[in-house]
Amino acid sequence: MSQVQLQAVTGRNTHQVQLAGVAVALAFAFAYACWWAAGLAHGYGAPPLDSAEQLVWSYSLEASYWKHPPLPSWIMHGLTQVFGPSVALPFFAAEISAALALALLWRLGAEIFGPGRSLLAAALTALVGYHSWQAESYNHNSALLPFQAAVTLFFYLAVRRGYWHLWLLTGVCAGLAMLVKYAALFPLCGLLIYLALDRQARNRRTASGLALAAAAAASVFAPHVVWLQLHDYSTLHYASSVAQPLSGFRAWAANLGEFGEAQLLTLMPLLMVVAWMAWSLRGPAREAGAVASASDRRFLWTAGLAPLLLVVLSGTVARCEILPRWGYNVFLLAGWLALDALRWPADRIVPALRVCVGFNLVLWTAMAILVPELKEAIGWQGRSNFPGRELATLVQETWSGHARQPLRIVISDTWLGGTIAAYRPLPLAVLADGDPARAAWVSEADVRACGAVVVLDRTGGSSLPQPTVSRWLVLSDVHGEWQLPWAPSRGLRHPWGLTTRIAWGVIEPRDPGDCRL
């Protein structure tokens, strides 16, 4: 149907039809994300470590944070201001990030394959664990997904149409992606590699647009560069510490095998559906689906494969360990690549969508119902079933017994602090790991003025672990210990007994009138 016929039938112009399609896609993505988030969150009594970290950091809008760039924590700050902190909030943030990325890439795929085939590609990509059933943590990997997708979409449209505002949007989104995580360089480099490979895309207007995008990205990212210089490049030091060196070919091969095994697991549902799709195409020849242009195929395969190849190449060249989580952002175009490889016909879109929906239902049932029930049946205890509400209640009751002012500060490791903060009706300042360098929003003067509760996990044999937290425990005016009916499992054994020993201390407020928190 031509654009003129479409307008005559619908009474709307093509732009209105496209906007309606985008609105429907966003609504569907939001509903899908909430379905997964609610299913995963209900089985958790405490947030995963990365989510707890975001709840801690989101207390204050900082120019950056000691480990990572600031944008994910800014987003979480806005969410906590609107909805209040909770264990469930990071689940919704993570799933909505993934769903928004898929909706943006559906719009990209609609340009290449049409909206129907692109919907199937999005459904296939949703089967990747990082985009649904393994997306239990809101962290810099999950937060990067929508910005990565937005850069890819706007870059494609800018190259094809040449409009200046599209190049500007490409640059802004690229700068924002770098403010999420420096690993955004990998997909950004993939886009530049495509330009180097496609002669049709290289012209004066594209070069000018690319310069405009680079200037916009630099403007967005420049304040963070200033922060890095003023803070001894702390985020880069952390990134360097994570990349553990490997010695010898055997260590490299073993690490690459572990990385590949982890990625295979997260891709397994997608691979199973793609295998069924390939099998179903056997037999008598069928009319193949529409073939993308050579330039579009070059874009898809370069942008889709380059991030994975660059991750492996960077680890190989640097001779450092490639962590499984580094694969989080390399499979965003997996469904569209599969669709292009299979040349899936239009008359088979609905059956394939039904299979994708069926797989999602099976995965949701397993992760949201069966896994929590299995953990309960075998007595497995992990961070997911930590009694976080009970701990937060003990903290508040203990503080109320020794001070009349509201509790403003907790001093603890990041996970316990984030767990306590998740059960507070209002944001709570956590002096993470007892180190003001890791929590710029709390100073020693604040602790003296406002007072604090110190919380220290003593399970595991050492009487004074975590020396930076222990220092504050020693300075406390009142001490005690709680025992919680929980101990982290190692297999099915509990090496430290069936209870967790939590040492606590109360630092009473010295100058309540000067408390600024």
Side-chain angles (χ1 to χ4, degrees):
M1 182 179 290
S2 69
Q3 292 184 359
V4 174
Q5 290 173 321
L6 181 64
Q7 183 175 349
V9 171
T10 62
R12 297 179 292 175
N13 60 37
T14 305
H15 181 65
Q16 290 175 317
V17 173
Q18 290 177 341
L19 287 179
V22 171
V24 171
L26 289 174
F28 179 80
F30 180 77
Y32 175 81
C34 290
W35 178 62
W36 264 109
L40 292 177
H42 93 280
Y44 278 73
L49 175 59
D50 286 353
S51 295
E53 186 173 66
Q54 289 304 315
L55 288 171
V56 169
W57 290 357
S58 67
Y59 175 83
S60 176
L61 289 175
E62 301 293 325
S64 189
Y65 302 84
W66 74 276
K67 280 172 63 175
H68 290 299
L71 189 52
S73 303
W74 292 352
I75 295 172
M76 182 55 66
H77 176 85
L79 293 174
T80 56
Q81 293 298 310
V82 174
F83 301 104
S86 67
V87 172
L89 185 62
F91 285 91
F92 282 87
E95 294 289 352
I96 288 174
S97 295
L100 181 57
L102 295 179
L104 290 168
L105 291 178
W106 167 82
R107 177 66 183 84
L108 168 65
E111 291 281 327
I112 299 173
F113 297 111
R117 286 188 178 88
S118 189
L119 178 62
L120 174 57
L124 287 169
T125 309
L127 294 173
V128 177
Y130 299 135
H131 308 150
S132 54
W133 53 279
Q134 289 180 319
E136 76 278 1
S137 292
Y138 177 71
N139 54 28
H140 292 256
N141 293 319
S142 57
L144 179 58
L145 291 174
F147 295 96
Q148 178 182 345
V151 172
T152 306
L153 170 62
F154 290 133
F155 178 87
Y156 173 86
L157 294 176
V159 169
R160 295 295 184 267
R161 300 177 183 178
Y163 296 150
W164 298 117
H165 73 278
L166 291 173
W167 282 113
L168 183 62
L169 286 171
T170 299
V172 170
C173 290
L176 292 175
M178 289 295 293
L179 285 178
V180 174
K181 192 172 184 179
Y182 304 142
L185 274 175
F186 294 130
L188 292 177
C189 286
L191 300 178
L192 296 179
I193 292 172
Y194 158 72
L195 274 186
L197 295 176
D198 194 339
R199 291 183 179 180
Q200 295 179 352
R202 298 198 303 270
N203 53 58
R204 289 183 178 180
R205 189 171 184 85
T206 297
S208 300
L210 193 61
L212 174 62
S219 299
V220 172
F221 193 65
H224 183 67
V225 175
V226 174
W227 183 93
L228 285 173
Q229 294 174 333
L230 295 175
H231 292 81
D232 192 32
Y233 300 93
S234 67
T235 55
L236 297 180
H237 289 310
Y238 170 76
S240 177
S241 69
V242 170
Q244 295 297 317
L246 296 174
S247 58
F249 175 79
R250 287 188 178 182
W252 172 83
N255 173 247
L256 190 61
E258 293 172 359
F259 175 79
E261 182 181 351
Q263 307 321 309
L264 185 62
L265 173 63
T266 197
L267 288 172
M268 189 58 67
L270 167 64
L271 295 176
M272 293 174 68
V273 174
V274 169
W276 168 81
M277 293 170 69
W279 179 84
S280 68
L281 290 177
R282 66 188 180 86
R286 285 178 166 272
E287 180 182 353
V291 180
S293 69
S295 181
D296 283 344
R297 295 192 74 204
R298 191 175 294 115
F299 175 82
L300 276 177
W301 286 93
T302 305
L305 294 181
L308 175 60
L309 297 178
L310 290 173
V311 165
V312 174
L313 179 62
S314 64
T316 302
V317 171
R319 297 182 180 180
C320 69
E321 182 181 9
I322 305 173
L323 299 178
R325 64 176 179 267
W326 292 359
Y328 205 107
N329 299 94
V330 304
F331 299 119
L332 261 182
L333 288 170
W336 287 269
L337 298 183
L339 209 65
D340 182 65
L342 292 172
R343 309 280 178 89
W344 193 252
D347 62 346
R348 302 296 300 277
I349 291 176
V350 173
L353 280 172
R354 288 172 180 164
V355 173
C356 290
V357 171
F359 256 82
N360 258 293
L361 288 171
V362 171
L363 289 169
W364 189 93
T365 302
M367 300 303 296
I369 300 176
L370 298 182
V371 170
E373 291 293 333
L374 179 61
K375 288 180 179 179
E376 184 69 24
I378 66 176
W380 180 272
Q381 292 183 311
R383 282 178 169 168
S384 62
N385 51 18
F386 178 79
R389 185 181 300 277
E390 289 83 344
L391 176 61
T393 300
L394 288 171
V395 168
Q396 181 58 52
E397 290 177 348
T398 301
W399 173 259
S400 299
H402 296 88
R404 290 180 294 179
Q405 292 74 26
L407 176 62
R408 305 293 188 192
I409 301 172
V410 163
I411 302 173
S412 70
D413 67 82
T414 299
W415 179 60
L416 284 179
T419 298
I420 296 167
Y423 286 97
R424 299 282 300 176
L426 297 174
L428 178 70
V430 177
L431 183 52
D433 302 322
D435 186 356
R438 298 186 176 187
W441 46 92
V442 180
S443 66
E444 295 195 11
D446 291 325
V447 175
R448 288 193 298 271
C450 306
V453 173
V454 185
V455 179
L456 179 64
D457 185 357
R458 279 188 170 168
T459 305
S462 175
S463 59
L464 283 177
Q466 305 171 30
T468 51
V469 178
S470 299
R471 178 176 71 90
W472 292 101
L473 190 62
V474 171
L475 296 174
S476 299
D477 300 293
V478 188
H479 305 84
E481 185 175 280
W482 302 309
Q483 290 195 359
L484 296 177
W486 176 89
S489 293
R490 298 294 183 269
L492 296 180
R493 293 182 295 176
H494 303 276
W496 302 307
L498 296 176
T499 60
T500 289
R501 297 167 52 225
I502 303 289
W504 61 265
V506 173
I507 301 175
E508 297 177 355
R510 300 294 189 265
D511 303 297
D514 294 332
C515 180
R516 64 182 181 89
L517 300 178

